[in-house]
């Protein structure tokens, strides 16, 4: 690397390291980050002035990746710290907002999947509370899921707790009520994962009225968190959710039989990708409706089985 640098003038060097190459269309800096070559990353940084370095960090390659996104995707903690230490708070915030094109997720979406609290603290530290909350509200473009959805779906109770502690009470309630692309809240995600610790954390962190409000949220297919738990055969979650409901009428409503499904209006308008089923016939709406009835039957069977064993 040093030999190449010595053979080129400044403009030639910047042009060379900025060129995108390979199947992933990445720059020299991004390739070095991907393979954890911290010394090369440091060398590139030292070879540039502040403006040139910042330009390298904000380059979006053909797939929409930035240097920070590559570092978070490859779990390169030392390099993330190097980038953080070499940027202003304003640029750091800008880098955290970049979303790659394939899934549309931000670096923060990637980081919450590590369940690494020290890294979350490091990422949050330069930001104001207002900017941090804004980042937590960002949804990826594929599932329209926030970092909290990711953490709940992965079953990472420590990360969920960190997010809850990092925001105000009203901000936390706002994050809990954000629905993703299938109108699924973080509680839906936690119920599907079956991690009771996360569900209990959510329940204990809000008022009873807000808890009931959250329990009543239906996704666009009519499923509540109770139904999601039943679909994934998490009987302990079903028991736990019912025990938290002291309002008899609400309990009856939440555990009532599902209403009949109506014929689907679009061939792709249904929840295979969210509920773990493959599409038997991408053009067959009747087949999809049959499968939806099968899903409903599975849910009702699980709820009925829990009811017989006592709540």
């Amino acid at each position: 690397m040093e030999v190449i640098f010595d053979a080129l003038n400044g403009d030639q060097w910047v042009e060379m390291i900025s060129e995108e190459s390979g199947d992933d269309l990445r720059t020299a800096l991004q390739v070095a980050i991907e393979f954890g070559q911290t010394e090369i990353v440091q060398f590139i940084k030292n070879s540039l002035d502040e403006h040139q370095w910042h330009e390298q960090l904000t380059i979006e390659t053909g797939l929409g990746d930035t240097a920070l996104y590559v570092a978070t995707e490859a779990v390169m903690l030392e390099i993330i710290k190097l980038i953080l230490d070499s940027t202003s708070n304003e640029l750091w915030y800008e880098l955290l907002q970049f979303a790659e094109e394939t899934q549309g997720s931000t670096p923060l979406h990637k980081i919450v999947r590590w369940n690494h609290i020290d890294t979350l603290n490091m990422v949050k530290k330069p930001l104001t509370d207002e900017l941090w909350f804004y980042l937590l509200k960002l949804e990826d473009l594929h599932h329209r899921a926030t970092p909290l959805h990711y953490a709940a779906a992965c079953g990472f109770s420590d990360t969920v707790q960190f997010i809850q502690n990092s925001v105000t009470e009203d901000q936390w309630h706002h994050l809990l009520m954000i629905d993703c692309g299938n109108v699924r809240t973080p509680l839906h995600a936690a119920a599907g994962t079956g991690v009771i610790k996360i569900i209990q954390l959510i329940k204990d962190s809000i008022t009873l009225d807000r808890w009931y409000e959250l329990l009543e949220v239906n996704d666009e297919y009519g499923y509540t968190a109770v139904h999601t738990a039943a679909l994934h055969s998490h009987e302990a979650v079903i028991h736990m959710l019912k025990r938290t409901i002291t309002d008899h009428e609400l309990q009856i409503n939440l555990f009532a039989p599902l209403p009949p499904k109506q014929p689907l209006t679009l061939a792709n308008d249904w929840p295979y990708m969210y509920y773990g089923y493959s599409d038997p016939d991408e053009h067959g709406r009747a087949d999809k409706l049959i499968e939806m009835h099968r899903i409903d039957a599975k849910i009702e069977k699980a709820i009925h089985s829990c009811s017989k064993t006592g709540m």
Side-chain angles (χ1 to χ4, degrees), residues 276-307:
Y277 290 88
S278 59
D279 187 347
D281 176 3
E282 65 182 38
H283 303 294
R285 299 179 189 178
D287 287 347
K288 289 181 172 63
L289 186 57
I290 291 171
E291 185 70 1
M292 288 291 285
H293 284 304
R294 189 169 75 83
I295 293 173
D296 285 358
K298 179 179 179 181
I299 291 172
E300 292 186 0
K301 181 179 179 181
I303 292 175
H304 180 67
S305 174
C306 287
S307 298

Side-chain angles (χ1 to χ4, degrees), residues 239-278:
H239 283 282
M240 180 264 185
L241 290 174
K242 192 168 187 179
R243 284 197 300 268
T244 68
I245 306 169
T246 56
D247 184 305
H248 183 64
E249 183 177 352
L250 175 62
Q251 189 176 105
I252 291 174
N253 291 339
L254 286 178
F255 288 83
L258 288 161
K261 287 290 185 294
Q262 300 300 314
L264 303 173
T265 56
L266 298 173
N268 63 350
D269 181 24
W270 88 306
Y272 281 127
M273 64 180 294
Y274 295 99
Y275 292 105
Y277 290 88
S278 59

